[in-house]
Amino acid sequence: RLDQALPSSIAEGRQLFHAKGCSGCHAGPESSPDLMTGFPSLADAPAWAGERRQGMTAEEYLRESIAAPGVYISPAFQPGGGPTTGMPQLRLAAAEIDALVEFLLQR
């Protein structure tokens, strides 16, 4: 299996990306382009996440975006492109957010 070659936190992040529904709206590091239009692609997060908000690292930005999505709305978000008006509150544990961030920032 592919997961056996990944560190456990990245493998857990991959599993959460699909189980929590992230992959329904966003492309991820290992997935095809977004299924829905208007939602930011997370496929190449290492290239842009550290520059999205001044004074925030890529890790900080992604962590905040997952934990409190309404704090800052991505300029890549185009309302009306899908079944929701914004990212939902996922109510994840800190360890789950850490795993998702690890998965999104894998290099």
Side-chain angles (χ1 to χ4, degrees):
R1 285 182 22 130
L2 188 59
D3 285 352
Q4 292 173 341
L6 294 174
S8 62
S9 60
I10 292 175
E12 180 184 354
R14 173 197 280 150
Q15 186 272 332
L16 287 166
F17 189 78
H18 296 284
K20 296 295 184 176
C22 308
S23 62
C25 296
H26 300 280
E30 303 166 353
S31 61
S32 60
D34 304 337
L35 300 174
M36 305 278 190
T37 60
F39 297 99
S41 173
L42 304 175
D44 196 20
W48 54 262
E51 299 170 6
R52 185 58 55 91
R53 291 192 63 195
Q54 187 173 358
M56 293 183 92
T57 66
E59 293 86 359
E60 291 167 336
Y61 172 74
L62 290 172
R63 190 169 279 110
E64 178 186 78
S65 295
I66 293 167
V71 170
Y72 176 81
I73 306 301
S74 167
F77 175 64
Q78 299 171 5
T84 184
T85 58
M87 187 163 142
Q89 284 288 136
L90 298 176
R91 304 196 195 297
L92 300 168
E96 291 174 313
I97 293 172
D98 290 344
L100 279 166
V101 170
E102 289 270 335
F103 171 66
L104 294 172
L105 293 179
Q106 66 180 305
R107 297 190 187 339

